[in-house]
């Protein structure tokens, strides 16, 4: 589609970005402290891209934005992620905004939205979350154009075989009070399943989550998806795809699908990227028992087909695991039995067991058979409390949508 003044103006001056957005973004770049990281040339490229866009020099603006993106991408992918300066991530976000506006002005809203999403995944918040707001605006534009023709085959959330639990049973309690939860489970470091605590969530009622709902609300959004049976496998990888494509694939996945190609949207902070889905859930009241009054829980999404696996591992947080759609079987071990669970010696996997819970090699790991454990099936609408450092193995019994809340 050819560029037009009206299309350009629509994206530059739409109320979702604020009046004079390009001038404001340019000023925000100039305010960044880029000297310490040698980022001044990139900041100049981005500022020049915004100036060219404001002067309707679209081709030049796009070239400048791409150059800035390429330099930032190289910086973000050199060395360890934790060592990357947040300023490089902010510069990447500004570059993504510039590229998104160029693509939108060309009429390519899908690629513009993808640029926003990659910016949200790799970058850092900038200019009053303008990248998130631009993504929301573009997503709405696409949804308005395609909603009538959206193919939305509904995933059949069924469990072909009833799972027989072994080990100790996890106690089920009907919506315990905060005091009862803290006294009987949190302080004692005992797992518990809580029922009736999230029936008020829109995701469970007014806007019930399903494959078709996710496609309708966020089908054009790009997310990182794991490919492979489990993250400990050598063949495991990640790739970017739209939620619409991902949902179609997991809904159609046969039970005997090749495990090496299993798709899993796992441990992703989806609700920071998509505030429209964040409105469908609520932070459970139990998370307010955090040691820090100002701490917000880390909220992650877990979406996948039947057969997805999280290997036996532990996390340093309190975890309220919320099952929204489908069922998952979860096995839990107390940290008192660390030695029997054979953690990896590698620093990268020190919190993960070498044992495959589905097919334990007892000749290599003989003590594993002696370790006592809890096992349960978490049903839709239930919460499972997993204490800090508790080992847990998770396998989905059907297409499954879950949300975890981590806090300290």
């Amino acid at each position: 589609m050819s560029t037009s003044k009206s299309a350009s103006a629509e994206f530059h001056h739409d109320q979702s970005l604020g009046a004079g957005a390009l001038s404001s973004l340019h000023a925000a770049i100039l305010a960044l402290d880029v000297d310490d990281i040698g980022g001044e040339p990139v900041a100049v490229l981005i500022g020049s891209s915004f100036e060219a866009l404001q002067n309707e020099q679209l081709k030049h603006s796009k070239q400048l934005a791409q150059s800035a993106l390429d330099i930032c991408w190289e910086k973000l992918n050199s060395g360890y992620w934790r060592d990357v300066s947040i300023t490089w991530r902010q510069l990447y976000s500004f570059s993504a905004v510039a590229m998104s506006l160029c693509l939108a002005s060309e009429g390519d809203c899908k690629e513009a939205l993808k640029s926003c999403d990659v910016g949200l995944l790799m970058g850092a918040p900038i200019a009053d979350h303008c990248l998130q707001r631009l993504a929301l605006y573009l997503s709405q534009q696409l949804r308005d154009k395609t909603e009538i023709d959206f193919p939305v085959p509904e995933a059949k959330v069924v469990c072909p075989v009833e799972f027989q639990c072994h080990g100790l049973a996890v106690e089920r309690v009907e919506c315990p009070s905060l005091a009862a939860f803290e006294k009987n489970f949190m302080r004692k470091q005992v797992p518990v399943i809580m029922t009736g605590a999230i029936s008020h969530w829109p995701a469970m009622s007014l806007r019930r989550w399903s494959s078709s709902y996710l496609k309708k609300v966020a089908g054009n959004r790009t997310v990182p998806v794991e490919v492979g049976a489990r993250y400990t496998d050598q063949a495991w990888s990640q790739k970017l795809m739209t939620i619409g494509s991902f949902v179609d694939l997991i809904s159609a996945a046969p039970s005997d699908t090749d495990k090496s190609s299993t798709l899993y949207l796992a441990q992703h902070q989806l609700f920071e990227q998509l505030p429209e889905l964040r409105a469908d859930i609520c932070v459970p009241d139990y998370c307010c028992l955090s040691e820090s009054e100002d701490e917000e829980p880390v909220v992650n999404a877990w979406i996948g087909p039947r057969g997805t696996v999280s290997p036996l591992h532990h996390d340093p947080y309190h975890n309220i695991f919320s099952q929204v759609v489908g069922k998952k079987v979860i096995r839990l071990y107390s940290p008192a039995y660390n030695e029997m669970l054979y953690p990896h010696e590698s620093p990268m996997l020190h919190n993960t067991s070498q044992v495959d819970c589905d097919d334990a090699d007892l000749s290599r790991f003989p003590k594993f058979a002696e370790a006592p454990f809890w096992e349960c099936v978490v049903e839709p609408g239930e919460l499972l409390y997993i204490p800090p450092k508790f080992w847990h193995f998770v396998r989905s019994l059907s297409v499954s949508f879950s949300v975890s809340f981590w806090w300290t």
Side-chain angles (χ1 to χ4, degrees):
M1 183 180 294
S2 62
T3 307
S4 69
K5 280 189 177 181
S6 59
S8 179
E10 181 180 359
F11 287 99
H12 298 175
H13 303 296
D14 181 84
Q15 61 180 359
S16 67
L17 297 177
L22 293 176
S23 298
S24 299
L25 288 169
H26 196 177
I29 295 169
L30 294 176
L32 281 180
D33 184 7
V34 297
D35 293 339
D36 291 344
I37 63 166
E40 184 177 357
V42 179
V44 170
L45 280 174
I46 302 168
S48 299
S49 176
F50 285 134
E51 286 182 355
L53 191 59
Q54 200 162 21
N55 294 326
E56 299 183 15
Q57 298 170 337
L58 183 56
K59 183 177 179 180
H60 184 48
S61 176
K62 193 175 178 182
Q63 290 172 339
L64 293 168
Q66 187 61 59
S67 296
L69 282 169
D70 291 343
I71 296 171
C72 291
W73 182 266
E74 183 177 345
K75 295 295 183 181
L76 295 181
N77 288 279
S78 300
Y80 292 107
W81 178 255
R82 65 174 179 270
D83 297 330
V84 176
S85 168
I86 192 171
T87 306
W88 279 117
R89 294 176 59 200
Q90 290 170 325
L91 287 170
Y92 189 88
S93 293
F94 278 114
S95 304
V97 170
M99 179 58 74
S100 296
L101 289 173
C102 289
L103 291 166
S105 294
E106 290 179 336
D108 194 345
C109 286
K110 283 191 175 181
E111 284 301 312
L113 180 56
K114 182 178 180 180
S115 179
C116 283
D117 279 328
V118 177
L120 288 168
L121 295 172
M122 301 295 292
I126 55 167
D128 194 26
H129 299 282
C130 72
L131 189 56
Q132 187 182 70
R133 290 185 287 117
L134 177 56
L136 186 61
Y137 174 82
L138 290 167
S139 180
Q140 183 62 56
Q141 295 298 305
L142 286 167
R143 195 156 66 237
D144 288 347
K145 292 177 182 178
T146 59
E147 187 169 2
I148 295 175
D149 299 319
F150 240 137
V152 286
E154 193 63 57
K156 295 181 179 179
V157 182
V158 296
C159 298
V161 179
E162 283 298 318
F163 183 82
Q164 182 64 47
C165 290
H166 302 281
L168 302 170
V170 177
E171 183 178 356
R172 272 183 164 79
V173 178
E174 175 73 21
C175 198
S177 67
L178 288 178
F181 169 74
E182 182 177 28
K183 176 183 177 182
N184 298 326
F185 305 104
M186 188 173 166
R187 288 183 184 175
K188 294 179 180 179
Q189 300 284 278
V190 175
V192 61
I193 291 175
M194 295 172 281
T195 62
I198 62 171
S199 56
H200 63 289
W201 282 13
M204 300 296 301
S205 53
L206 296 175
R207 298 187 293 274
R208 185 176 292 275
W209 280 3
S210 64
S211 297
S212 60
Y213 178 75
L214 286 186
K215 286 190 66 173
K216 179 179 177 180
V217 173
N220 289 297
R221 304 303 298 271
T222 297
V223 291
V225 174
E226 296 182 0
V227 183
R230 53 196 76 199
Y231 64 76
T232 51
D233 293 349
Q234 285 190 343
W236 179 90
S237 64
Q238 288 183 300
K239 67 177 181 180
L240 298 176
M241 65 172 58
T242 64
I243 288 179
S245 297
F246 170 68
V247 166
D248 281 345
L249 288 168
I250 68 171
S251 299
S255 58
D256 58 348
T257 185
D258 178 11
K259 295 298 183 184
S260 66
S261 61
T262 298
L263 302 176
Y264 197 14
L265 197 163
Q267 196 174 324
H268 177 46
Q269 294 183 17
L270 183 68
F271 308 104
E272 288 190 9
Q273 183 184 356
L274 302 176
E276 56 267 48
L277 286 179
R278 176 64 179 83
D280 292 345
I281 64 172
C282 306
V283 175
D285 291 342
Y286 307 108
C287 297
C288 76
L289 297 171
S290 167
E291 294 177 358
S292 173
E293 293 183 2
D294 299 328
E295 182 187 31
E296 288 291 325
V298 176
V299 186
N300 285 314
W302 311 77
I303 303 174
R306 175 190 171 199
T308 54
V309 166
S310 292
L312 186 62
H313 69 286
H314 66 79
D315 303 301
Y317 316 103
H318 296 279
N319 183 358
I320 296 288
F321 182 86
S322 314
Q323 190 63 20
V324 182
V325 174
K327 300 180 182 181
K328 283 184 172 176
V329 58
I330 301 183
R331 183 184 290 193
L332 301 139
Y333 293 84
S334 165
Y337 302 104
N338 281 3
E339 185 181 340
M340 296 180 177
L341 304 181
Y342 301 90
H344 279 274
E345 295 181 1
S346 162
M348 289 290 290
L349 292 172
H350 71 279
N351 70 327
T352 303
S353 172
Q354 299 177 63
V355 183
D356 180 353
C357 286
D358 280 331
D359 186 21
D361 185 347
L362 297 181
S363 63
R364 291 182 60 200
F365 312 114
K367 293 181 181 179
F368 180 72
E370 303 170 18
F373 60 88
W374 289 265
E375 194 165 63
C376 61
V377 173
V378 186
E379 307 270 352
E382 294 184 336
L383 306 178
L384 170 65
Y385 170 62
I386 304 175
K389 297 295 183 74
F390 255 64
W391 294 82
H392 47 288
F393 167 83
V394 184
R395 178 156 47 85
S396 62
L397 299 176
S398 65
V399 171
S400 172
F401 304 168
S402 315
V403 183
S404 63
F405 299 86
W406 293 346
W407 84 97
T408 56

